[in-house]
């Protein structure tokens, strides 16, 4: 929502320097990120998801094993 407003405001300004910066930042041809960005994002997300699923299910971590309430302190022995 905010980007079109800023773009509109910059296009109406008559300051030549801002116009030059705006034109220099516009892309004319697709680059690496345009071609492979979505694929890399999807593959990275799936890699992290698969890694976490493996860690949670296969390594054998005992989840929720808190000793609070189950461990009682022993009497202090002053010898």
């Amino acid at each position: 929502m905010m980007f079109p407003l800023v773009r509109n405001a910059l296009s109406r300004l008559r300051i030549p320097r801002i116009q030059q910066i705006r034109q220099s930042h516009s892309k004319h041809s697709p680059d690496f990120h345009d071609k492979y960005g979505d694929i890399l994002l999807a593959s990275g997300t799936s890699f992290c998801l698969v890694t976490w699923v493996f860690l949670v299910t296969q390594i054998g971590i005992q989840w929720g094993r808190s000793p609070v309430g189950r461990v009682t302190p022993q009497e202090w022995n002053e010898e």
Side-chain angles (χ1 to χ4, degrees):
M1 179 75 182
M2 192 61 146
F3 182 69
L5 293 174
V6 172
R7 186 178 60 204
N8 226 1
L10 285 178
S11 68
R12 293 181 184 189
L13 288 176
R14 299 293 177 213
I15 302 172
R17 182 68 184 143
I18 292 177
Q19 291 285 335
Q20 289 173 355
I21 292 172
R22 186 170 167 260
Q23 288 174 357
S24 68
H25 284 136
S26 63
K27 295 181 183 177
H28 297 290
S29 63
D31 60 357
F32 178 82
H33 299 288
D34 292 331
K35 291 181 182 178
Y36 305 110
D38 294 334
I39 295 170
L40 286 174
L41 183 63
S43 63
T45 303
S46 62
F47 174 78
C48 289
L49 182 65
V50 167
T51 302
W52 273 106
V53 167
F54 174 77
L55 287 173
V56 168
T57 60
Q58 301 296 320
I59 285 190
I61 297 174
Q62 299 281 329
W63 297 100
R65 298 288 184 173
S66 174
V68 175
R70 284 187 249 152
V71 177
T72 56
Q74 297 179 354
E75 290 294 325
W76 185 258
N77 204 0
E78 292 188 27
E79 288 184 8

